[in-house]
Amino acid sequence: MNTHPILQFLNEAQQNAVTCDAPALLVLAGAGSGKTRVLVHRMAWLISECGLSPHALLAVTFTNKAAHEMRGRIEDLLGRPAGAMWVGTFHGLAHRLLRAHARDAGLDENFQILDSDDQLRIVKRVVREMGLDENEWQPKQAQWFISARKDDGQRPQDIKHNGDLFTATMTSIYSHYEQACRQSSLVDFAELLLRAYELLRDNEHLRTHYQNRFRHVLVDEFQDTNAIQYRWIKLISGNTSAITIVGDDDQSIYGWRGAKIENIHRFQQEYNDSETIRLEQNYRSTSTILQAANAVIANNNDRLGKNLWTSGDQGEPISLYAAFNEQEEARFIASRIQDYVNQGNNYRECAILYRSNAQSRVLEEALLQRGMPYRIYGGLRFFERAEIKDTLAYCRLIANRDDDAAFERVVNTPTRGLGQKSIEVVRDIARNHKITLWQAASKVVEENLLPARARNGLMTFQELVANMESETGEADLHELIDFVIEASGLLEMYLKEKGEKGLARKENLQELVSAAREFDIDQYLYDTELEAEEAGLPESADGESGLPVMEDEMPPLVAFLSHASLEAGEAQAEKYEDSVQLMTLHSAKGLEFPVVFLTGLEEKLFPHQMSMDDIDGLAEERRLCYVGITRAMKKLYLLHAEKRRLWGKETYPSISRFVREIPSSLIEEVRLNAQVSQPMFGTSSLMDSDQGPEGFQLGQMVEHPKFGHGVILNFEGSGPQARIQINFESVGPKTLVLAYAKLEPVMA
DNA sequence: GTCATAGTAATTTTT
DNA sequence: TTACTATGAC
């Protein structure tokens, strides 16, 4: 056992991962195996033992939370600030690159970032301006199309539609949308990544610079990377930098968002000198819980393979409860939590997880009824609130009059007599002259193209924005925002809202001012830190190559606006109160709780209807289930309802296949009168493997005499009753009685 | 410009 | 069922 301080308290696999000197390292880290710890310790190791400067490290994560945590922990470990180290999210780092080299990236210095809300507005406008029917060509769908293509690295000209009307139209919308963004100097989230990639790809000078600078690139949650992120990582690390990726193929749950689980396989192929280290010892859960998780995930194909184990106790059995309906499910949970808390524990140790947000209401009601405190994750975040976005829209116009998204948002907020008609006139002018809305508005005013009232409204608006700028020329950021809130009339408008709402909005606006004040200070501290670090590093290539360092001259307002888009803030406050935690399975990833309730374990709900028809969707649902199970430390409850109201209709769902994939020996069924017994559901349906009755396997390709080829999705029952669900290429999913189905396996 | 009503669609979410 | 959008009446 190595006793180096950095390696203390790490197990052997963790130590190997920290000290590995292969040029490319893949760490397959199971749930609860100390993934972040390894990453942080490896960075500390590289700095203190391998002599790398913090300047030469690049660490990438997906969420701001993870990035902050990583930076904090590495600074703790090193005992000093690591300002010069690039630690951030893909989007944050891409943004940083684009700010530093805006010109080379073909962007305006003052470009701003669109969040998905703003993006949708622009897409909507584009669709309308193209004269397309919004019902036939839904903006939401177009937005999705554009993002998906960008995530895949495709520009409109790269897309081949082969006469396909859908693709052709969508591509055309994409193209028009791009133009609109360019005109307004706006960049959406996917664009940040794509643009940053293209910047390095097309600019050899910059590429070489960054490849030389970053001697070691580390990526967290690698299973969540999309195509363009992978390519960006490859490009920036070049052929000479070392690379460490950490991930877990079994926890890939964002395939629907463009994440490519195959990137892990690709990495192994493309870096043929790579080494793979598995972290399989789990420090979180009881062995019962781990066995259940392992059994479920074993039903997936194409895994890299990994078996979690623990040296800990077997712990309590998993409780399975069949509720009458969703209300009863909720009441049961509430009463169990009550019992748990009465034994001297805290609410915050309990988490209720569900597949879709719609399920949360009934759960909330049950908790409310008992007066139990709870907190829901997800929902509107601070910078997404209407009042905040309105205020920031004014700020964006101060920084850049050509920001059409901001213009549209507040040109008539608060109302100043500009209805749809008037705005339509402005839009027309803008489109016909290929100018921005602000420029078009000026033209409308000058040439008197609108009735007096509307014309006055436009003039007032333009003067208002101009005044805001001149009045606050020398002011600090928070003073500017304070001024905008007042002068725009937004405060007055919101205070008129009835009930508590107006007051809450006012508080949020005040909160925005304090956020701006803190941002001023942070920004100042960060800059000085950075300079100090850079100055102390003579080997830095920045000076001699004439490349700008970072954030050299970003105006505070532009910096703050970017910050607001990139870090939407916490979803809900009051996080210090002891409360039950409610969230979707997706948002539970990365968290852990002593007691976990997995709700709605029913076919069509979990696995969800929309993911049931193909084997990939099903595999992702199963991974989601794996994530859910592995959140639990001590006690896991599985719940399903026999009757559930779904969209106003009563349904009688059957128990989720995932429950049946857990060995029955790990489960005890909770009966209504609180007695406990062994599981009762059909002895044979509780199968401990993915083996079908006749040796067929889930995901296997089979041939049916009538329906042709299809993939096996599920088995139900056994004996003469046994049925099998297959997704046929010709007719889609079908459930057949196995005994009559005359299936033949098909060799791949 | 605001309010009421009808119609529609309905995972998962971060940046 | 609900929640959101679009439309039409005042």
Side-chain angles (χ1 to χ4, degrees):
Chain A
M1 194 82 162
N2 198 314
T3 52
H4 191 284
I6 292 178
L7 300 179
Q8 256 184 338
F9 311 116
L10 297 180
N11 67 34
E12 201 184 334
Q14 290 174 332
Q15 288 192 6
N16 290 340
V18 167
T19 59
C20 175
D21 54 12
L25 170 65
L26 162 61
V27 181
L28 276 180
S33 64
K35 162 182 76 89
T36 309
R37 203 148 172 239
V38 163
L39 212 43
V40 167
H41 282 246
R42 181 158 173 81
M43 284 193 272
W45 181 262
L46 291 170
I47 292 168
S48 69
E49 294 304 307
C50 307
L52 281 187
S53 146
H55 186 82
L57 290 187
L58 173 66
V60 197
T61 65
F62 276 85
T63 65
N64 290 304
K65 198 174 146 208
H68 290 142
E69 190 188 337
M70 195 181 288
R71 180 176 284 276
R73 278 169 72 166
I74 190 126
E75 286 179 351
D76 284 349
L77 204 57
L78 290 174
R80 64 186 166 101
M85 188 171 13
W86 276 39
V87 180
T89 62
F90 277 101
H91 297 269
L93 297 172
H95 173 243
R96 206 167 164 173
L97 272 177
L98 295 179
R99 284 284 174 212
H101 312 289
R103 278 284 150 73
D104 293 304
L107 288 171
D108 188 275
E109 309 265 325
N110 279 334
F111 77 86
Q112 271 308 316
I113 302 166
L114 283 175
D115 66 16
S116 18
D117 211 56
D118 300 326
Q119 185 186 28
L120 184 60
R121 278 162 192 273
I122 296 194
V123 172
K124 252 189 198 153
R125 206 182 99 209
V126 166
V127 169
R128 227 172 278 161
E129 287 184 353
M130 286 171 70
L132 296 170
D133 178 6
E134 274 178 78
N135 288 314
E136 198 179 346
W137 308 100
Q138 291 180 3
K140 270 251 169 67
Q141 204 170 22
Q143 179 187 27
W144 189 87
F145 178 92
I146 293 167
S147 300
R149 292 312 164 120
K150 286 188 182 182
D151 283 347
D152 240 27
Q154 290 177 299
R155 293 291 182 191
Q157 59 270 22
D158 303 324
I159 302 171
K160 292 188 204 77
H161 50 76
N162 299 327
D164 175 51
L165 182 64
F166 178 82
T167 315
T169 312
M170 286 296 165
T171 306
S172 172
I173 297 173
Y174 180 3
S175 176
H176 286 255
Y177 165 80
E178 252 193 341
Q179 207 181 324
C181 289
R182 200 176 319 125
Q183 194 172 49
S184 293
S185 298
L186 295 170
V187 170
D188 64 45
F189 289 133
E191 183 76 25
L192 283 171
L193 301 174
L194 182 51
R195 199 56 86 115
Y197 167 76
E198 290 169 344
L199 171 71
L200 295 182
R201 182 193 64 189
D202 302 337
N203 191 320
E204 198 195 334
H205 179 56
L206 285 179
R207 185 171 65 243
T208 319
H209 167 75
Y210 284 104
Q211 285 177 345
N212 287 336
R213 167 174 175 168
F214 297 122
R215 306 311 313 153
H216 203 122
V217 176
L218 305 101
V219 189
D220 192 15
E221 304 276 19
F222 194 78
Q223 76 281 354
D224 289 338
T225 51
N226 63 31
I228 201 67
Q229 287 161 338
Y230 182 86
R231 280 154 72 178
W232 186 73
I233 287 293
K234 255 197 108 167
L235 197 58
I236 207 165
S237 59
N239 294 322
T240 51
S241 309
I243 181 163
T244 299
I245 67 169
V246 181
D248 181 359
D249 54 329
D250 292 333
Q251 291 191 72
S252 161
I253 54 174
Y254 288 109
W256 53 275
R257 204 166 76 181
K260 294 258 193 295
I261 194 169
E262 312 89 270
N263 282 347
I264 301 191
H265 305 111
R266 261 183 82 177
F267 178 85
Q268 287 182 314
Q269 285 160 15
E270 295 181 4
Y271 292 81
N272 43 29
D273 48 2
S274 75
E275 210 167 291
T276 301
I277 294 177
R278 285 177 165 74
L279 304 181
E280 296 175 303
Q281 183 174 4
N282 171 292
Y283 295 93
R284 179 186 293 156
S285 312
T286 65
S287 75
T288 300
I289 290 167
L290 286 186
Q291 283 173 55
N294 283 335
V296 169
I297 202 67
N299 291 292
N300 273 357
N301 299 321
D302 301 322
R303 294 175 59 218
L304 289 169
K306 192 163 27 61
N307 250 309
L308 287 183
W309 61 277
T310 177
S311 59
D313 290 348
Q314 193 179 339
E316 285 181 57
I318 294 165
S319 293
L320 174 70
Y321 182 64
F324 294 134
N325 56 31
E326 68 272 23
Q327 273 93 11
E328 217 252 319
E329 178 187 48
R331 280 197 298 270
F332 174 82
I333 295 171
S335 95
R336 281 305 162 112
I337 294 176
Q338 196 61 265
D339 291 348
Y340 182 72
V341 172
N342 289 344
Q343 286 162 26
N345 302 294
N346 295 305
Y347 287 114
R348 81 174 83 92
E349 293 163 25
C350 304
I352 310 177
L353 309 183
Y354 36 83
R355 175 67 241 265
S356 62
N357 285 309
Q359 289 170 255
S360 73
R361 255 196 50 188
V362 182
L363 296 163
E364 271 185 86
E365 279 165 10
L367 294 170
L368 222 44
Q369 220 163 49
R370 287 178 169 252
M372 297 163 74
Y374 64 88
R375 179 189 170 198
I376 296 193
Y377 280 71
L380 264 200
R381 288 190 305 269
F382 182 72
F383 285 109
E384 287 169 2
R385 292 165 197 272
E387 61 274 24
I388 304 297
K389 293 208 69 172
D390 287 344
T391 307
L392 293 182
Y394 278 100
C395 295
R396 276 163 57 174
L397 284 172
I398 293 172
N400 169 21
R401 300 293 135 93
D402 295 333
D403 187 331
D404 283 354
F407 183 97
E408 290 239 23
R409 184 167 186 109
V410 291
V411 65
N412 197 35
T413 315
T415 51
R416 45 179 76 86
L418 290 158
Q420 282 303 311
K421 266 257 173 64
S422 321
I423 294 171
E424 201 49 55
V425 171
V426 178
R427 285 203 198 103
D428 270 347
I429 306 277
R431 181 173 19 167
N432 293 338
H433 293 80
K434 294 209 185 318
I435 52 178
T436 63
L437 292 174
W438 183 273
Q439 293 160 357
S442 305
K443 202 175 169 69
V444 166
V445 171
E446 278 164 30
E447 299 179 13
N448 236 334
L449 300 168
L450 274 177
R453 189 157 59 117
R455 179 175 181 270
N456 279 337
L458 265 189
M459 248 163 64
T460 318
F461 176 64
Q462 294 199 300
E463 278 162 15
L464 179 61
V465 174
N467 268 342
M468 284 174 175
E469 187 176 24
S470 56
E471 293 282 326
T472 57
E474 294 294 297
D476 281 342
L477 184 58
H478 68 273
E479 289 166 332
L480 177 140
I481 288 179
D482 200 28
F483 185 83
V484 168
I485 291 170
E486 192 69 49
S488 62
L490 284 173
L491 183 62
E492 199 188 342
M493 177 184 96
Y494 281 123
L495 281 176
K496 275 194 203 133
E497 274 184 32
K498 42 195 176 294
E500 297 276 292
K501 251 190 162 170
L503 231 62
R505 298 214 135 124
K506 185 185 169 189
E507 276 167 25
N508 286 331
L509 289 171
Q510 284 164 341
E511 184 66 33
L512 181 65
V513 176
S514 350
R517 189 182 290 122
E518 268 165 46
F519 185 79
D520 275 337
I521 297 165
D522 283 353
Q523 193 70 6
Y524 171 76
L525 288 177
Y526 184 64
D527 284 347
T528 29
E529 229 171 58
L530 201 82
E531 271 166 45
E533 285 276 358
E534 300 276 356
L537 291 165
E539 76 267 30
S540 156
D542 287 317
E544 60 215 55
S545 65
L547 288 161
V549 188
M550 280 315 112
E551 274 102 28
D552 40 351
E553 286 296 304
M554 215 198 313
L557 178 58
V558 174
F560 184 66
L561 290 171
S562 305
H563 168 82
S565 308
L566 240 30
E567 280 199 54
E570 278 287 308
Q572 261 185 13
E574 305 144 43
K575 55 180 157 186
Y576 298 111
E577 202 198 345
D578 178 34
S579 49
V580 180
Q581 314 287 301
L582 273 74
M583 69 195 82
T584 63
L585 285 151
H586 282 90
S587 31
K589 196 173 100 172
L591 306 176
E592 60 180 25
F593 308 92
V595 182
V596 167
F597 297 85
L598 283 189
T599 66
L601 283 158
E602 296 143 33
E603 290 287 301
K604 297 189 179 172
L605 189 60
F606 189 28
H608 197 278
Q609 171 99 64
M610 315 230 64
S611 314
M612 281 175 73
D613 294 349
D614 77 292
I615 201 72
D616 293 335
L618 214 42
E620 184 152 311
E621 294 284 312
R622 189 172 281 110
R623 292 193 291 268
L624 195 53
C625 184
Y626 174 79
V627 167
I629 294 172
T630 52
R631 297 311 95 195
M633 300 162 79
K634 295 193 320 217
K635 176 75 189 176
L636 177 65
Y637 287 90
L638 306 176
L639 301 110
H640 65 109
E642 274 152 5
K643 184 167 95 175
R644 185 177 294 268
R645 243 193 138 73
L646 220 55
W647 303 331
K649 282 199 201 80
E650 308 261 79
T651 59
Y652 296 86
S654 53
I655 190 167
S656 169
R657 67 192 71 192
F658 302 144
V659 176
R660 292 194 265 116
E661 288 168 6
I662 299 173
S664 51
S665 58
L666 303 173
I667 297 179
E668 72 178 18
E669 210 176 1
V670 183
R671 312 308 297 278
L672 272 184
N673 49 11
Q675 283 172 4
V676 154
S677 76
Q678 277 291 299
M680 291 297 287
F681 37 84
T683 43
S684 51
S685 64
L686 251 189
M687 272 178 306
D688 294 352
S689 79
D690 58 349
Q691 284 289 309
E694 286 179 25
F696 288 118
Q697 279 210 330
L698 287 181
Q700 193 181 351
M701 177 73 86
V702 291
E703 185 168 356
H704 183 275
K706 191 155 142 218
F707 300 128
H709 287 186
V711 174
I712 300 179
L713 294 181
N714 196 24
F715 300 111
E716 288 167 31
S718 71
Q721 317 279 330
R723 290 184 300 167
I724 185 166
Q725 191 189 10
I726 300 169
N727 190 15
F728 289 105
E729 286 164 6
S730 52
V731 291
K734 283 228 175 292
T735 304
L736 308 168
V737 177
L738 190 56
Y740 301 117
K742 297 209 187 79
L743 297 170
E744 293 290 337
V746 174
M747 298 304 148

